Amino acid sequence: MTQYALLVQPAANRVYAEASVALTTAELEVVNQAVLGGRLTDIAETDIAGVRYVGFRADLDGRDAEFLANLSSAFALFAVRDGGLLEPVELRRLDRFDDDLLTIQKYSGKTNEHFTKLLLNVTVLSSTAAPHMLDRRLRVLDPVCGRGTTLNQALMYGWHAAGIDLDQQDFDAYSTFLQTWLKRKRVKHTAEVVRIRREKQNVGRQLKASIGVDRESYKAGDALDLGYVNADTVKAGEFFRAGTFDVVVGDAPYGVRHGSRAAGPRPLDRSPLELISAAAPGWARLLRAGGALGISWNNVVTSRESVLDALASAGLQPLDDGPYRGFEHRVDQAITRDIAVARKPVDN
């Protein structure tokens, strides 16, 4: 077996950079279980010439390397040869667009795009769609999508994306950003914001876009669908069809800067648990059988057990062993972020 060393992507956020090796190790363990048949062994942090890597041993083939290429913080992969020489391994990522789709937006409270990719990856890898993530156009829903970091990551992978969020300013900001970006990049597309009406009443707004990965496929009628609904996520089932999403992925309000509201005119709640408990049954209905739901939250204000119980009460099967216990990390003094993942039973 060959020894490999994975160099982790540098992160501008110092706190996240400190946690990135441990997070990458946990993510790699999930990849190993889900799509690599457990063929990776001795996965652990290693030091080469004073630089931190994630090391492992394996006999990789080309498809294995393609899965590894899409690790959220993968910067470069090397085979360690005799004498300690590092031989680069080609990493061919799924990326379909320029990376400024993910990095150009700057605003207070933005989720680190490396973490967004991690959350999406871990959720997809926990679903029955995992073996097909390289060659099938998956459908992703972010039920608390804010200004669209998860939507953009799904588009980057060449997947269909949908989102819902109650905040009008976030909806307007994302709608403006995406349409401006598509025009500036000269990406073939159609996009418009429309009113959603029911029984002669306005019940929300929606950004609807059809986006070409390239000119030829778009001309042939092959495009990515994006839909962002400006409405209450507790009512997500009123805007999207049941059983149509491979994954539901969301970064819940942390209860510090943003707060959360389950429904109605009450003040913002410091804990995201009420929101998750109220909305999770609807989110679960939107998943295909075998689909997975991944949610991140601030466990300073809500315990892991409470979130997992809420997902189980929604009819999902929590995944809570091995690497799934390895994603907790500090964001700042008031926020310690964690990930909970649950799968929809195949027989539902």
Side-chain angles (χ1 to χ4, degrees), residues 11-24:
N13 183 299
R14 180 185 59 81
V15 177
Y16 191 82
E18 291 176 356
S20 60
V21 170
L23 292 173
T24 300

Side-chain angles (χ1 to χ4, degrees), residues 320-336:
D320 192 36
D321 58 357
Y324 292 98
R325 283 276 179 169
F327 294 110
E328 179 182 311
H329 62 286
R330 188 173 73 88
V331 175
D332 60 30
Q333 289 183 336
I335 300 171
T336 299

Side-chain angles (χ1 to χ4, degrees), residues 30-243:
V30 175
V31 173
N32 191 32
Q33 290 182 9
V35 293
L36 300 183
R39 295 193 301 277
L40 274 57
T41 62
D42 303 325
I43 300 173
E45 179 179 340
T46 187
D47 183 286
I48 301 176
V51 178
R52 295 194 304 165
Y53 292 78
V54 177
F56 60 89
R57 297 181 65 84
D59 292 322
L60 298 179
D61 60 27
R63 189 166 176 83
D64 294 339
E66 289 184 30
F67 281 113
L68 297 177
N70 293 291
L71 286 164
S72 62
S73 292
F75 189 59
L77 179 64
F78 302 95
V80 183
R81 300 306 185 189
D82 292 341
L85 296 177
L86 300 182
E87 178 184 332
V89 176
E90 182 180 7
L91 295 179
R92 291 180 291 177
R93 296 176 174 85
L94 279 172
D95 296 1
R96 300 293 191 257
F97 300 103
D98 294 340
D99 63 6
D100 60 355
L101 174 61
L102 301 171
T103 61
I104 199 171
Q105 285 181 294
K106 305 293 182 185
Y107 53 89
S108 180
K110 179 184 179 183
T111 304
N112 183 304
E113 54 264 18
H114 293 166
F115 178 76
T116 297
K117 186 175 182 180
L118 170 71
L119 177 59
L120 178 59
N121 284 351
V122 169
T123 307
V124 170
L125 290 163
S126 303
S127 74
T128 54
H132 312 292
M133 65 178 290
L134 299 178
D135 42 39
R136 203 180 94 196
R137 193 165 282 175
L138 305 184
R139 290 191 174 273
V140 177
L141 171 67
D142 184 345
V144 282
C145 65
R147 297 197 185 186
T149 307
T150 301
L151 306 185
N152 291 341
Q153 180 58 62
L155 292 176
M156 179 67 81
Y157 275 163
W159 297 345
H160 301 297
I164 184 169
D165 200 285
L166 188 60
D167 192 297
Q168 295 183 23
Q169 291 184 337
D170 283 350
F171 175 86
D172 291 336
Y174 181 73
S175 177
T176 299
F177 163 76
L178 183 67
Q179 293 182 77
T180 301
W181 187 89
L182 291 170
K183 291 175 183 176
R184 185 170 60 84
K185 290 291 183 176
R186 298 184 178 180
V187 176
K188 288 290 187 181
H189 72 281
T190 60
E192 62 175 342
V193 174
V194 299
R195 293 282 180 182
I196 304 173
R197 293 181 61 83
R198 301 241 174 85
E199 298 178 353
K200 299 182 180 180
Q201 297 291 323
N202 288 327
V203 295
R205 295 181 296 162
Q206 182 175 19
L207 169 64
K208 300 174 66 175
S210 178
I211 301 168
V213 174
D214 54 56
R215 291 177 180 270
E216 292 72 22
S217 61
Y218 185 79
K219 188 176 181 180
D222 182 21
L224 304 178
D225 296 327
L226 180 138
Y228 181 164
V229 175
N230 182 203
D232 189 344
T233 189
V234 175
K235 300 178 181 179
E238 298 178 14
F239 301 99
F240 304 104
R241 286 194 300 116

